[in-house]
Amino acid sequence: MHIMEGFLPWQWCVIWWIIALPCLMFGIWQLKKVLDADREALPLLGVTGGFIFILSSLKLPSVTGSCSHPTGTGLSTISFGPWITAVVCAIVLLFQSLFLAHGGLSVLGANIVSMGIVGPLVGYCIYRLLRDTSVNVYITVFLVTALADMFTYVTTSLELALAYPAETGGFATSFILFMGIFAVTQIPLAIVEGVVLTLVFKYIVALKPDILIRLGIFSEKKIEAARSEI
């Protein structure tokens, strides 16, 4: 992740685009709704999008036809949800494809599904499960960001295994192989990403707690408790 240009058969490129497009359309609608309701959310959107761009550009060689890197999607997922995050990721991935030779246009749908949809969806489920519990805000942010990263790579392994099943063992063997190779670099990267984005969220809590409360990201009580730990 990102899967490189021309690596997936065209049939799979079409399938992943069919999955990605409705999610992007819904995300654009949600984004317009959020910005119409509160223009002060725009700087936070810019910060979260900036982290997605910067962290996902730090690529390391990994599986043939792909690479390992942080994704940066957890912070946007917590702040704006998975569908707006999908739109931000699509913009980032398009820019990287056109100007950084990172990913590609033919595989853009597949990369959006893994990094912009499935990873954020898993992170968002974790966030919703923990948001109204007694679990510490910063632990919640760490788990969301780290697991969103990890499941991006689970999805990429799935995409690669579906396109290139092993001669012996088929899809399952190929999926386990891709997962095993990714794990060497991605587990440490996910942990580091979780720590870094938790520190960034701590900085946001210190400077702009009001926007977090207004957007309903965490309750005022939990934000106050988080501020007391700074």
Side-chain angles (χ1 to χ4, degrees):
M1 193 307 115
H2 314 346
I3 298 173
M4 73 179 188
E5 180 65 52
F7 195 72
L8 291 181
W10 70 267
Q11 297 94 329
W12 283 109
C13 293
V14 171
I15 288 170
W16 296 121
W17 264 116
I18 290 172
I19 295 171
L21 283 174
C23 299
L24 293 176
M25 292 172 66
F26 184 62
I28 291 169
W29 175 79
Q30 277 201 334
L31 179 58
K32 184 178 184 301
K33 186 177 176 182
V34 168
L35 294 181
D36 286 345
D38 190 349
R39 296 295 294 182
E40 289 189 25
L42 195 56
L44 180 59
L45 181 67
V47 168
T48 59
F51 272 98
I52 292 173
F53 176 77
I54 292 168
L55 293 179
S56 65
S57 296
L58 304 174
K59 55 185 178 179
L60 300 171
S62 186
V63 174
T64 299
S66 186
C67 59
S68 284
H69 56 74
T71 64
T73 57
L75 198 59
S76 176
T77 299
I78 290 171
S79 301
F80 298 102
W83 309 117
I84 292 176
T85 300
V87 175
V88 176
C89 282
I91 295 169
V92 167
L93 289 165
L94 177 62
F95 185 91
Q96 291 171 339
S97 299
L98 293 174
F99 300 108
L100 301 181
H102 191 187
L105 296 178
S106 69
V107 293
L108 187 58
N111 289 332
I112 290 171
V113 169
S114 58
M115 183 173 131
I117 297 173
V118 177
L121 270 175
V122 171
Y124 188 71
C125 289
I126 300 298
Y127 160 68
R128 290 303 300 264
L129 283 171
L130 300 179
R131 183 181 66 176
D132 298 322
T133 67
S134 59
V135 176
N136 182 280
V137 165
Y138 301 120
I139 293 175
T140 299
V141 173
F142 172 81
L143 290 174
V144 169
T145 53
L147 289 173
D149 180 304
M150 284 303 304
F151 274 86
T152 293
Y153 287 86
V154 171
T155 309
T156 301
S157 298
L158 174 72
E159 293 170 342
L160 293 172
L162 287 169
Y164 299 102
E167 292 184 8
T168 303
F171 163 78
T173 298
S174 186
F175 179 66
I176 292 169
L177 178 62
F178 284 128
M179 282 285 294
I181 298 172
F182 271 133
V184 174
T185 51
Q186 207 53 43
I187 290 175
L189 282 174
I191 294 170
V192 171
E193 179 177 345
V195 171
V196 169
L197 290 184
T198 300
L199 292 174
V200 172
F201 192 82
K202 191 172 185 178
Y203 183 71
I204 295 171
V205 167
L207 290 185
K208 295 289 290 183
D210 54 312
I211 189 67
L212 300 178
I213 296 168
R214 193 160 62 249
L215 289 174
I217 297 171
F218 287 105
S219 67
E220 185 173 358
K221 181 180 178 181
K222 291 201 78 168
I223 293 295
E224 288 303 320
R227 292 195 74 194
S228 69
E229 297 176 28
I230 298 174

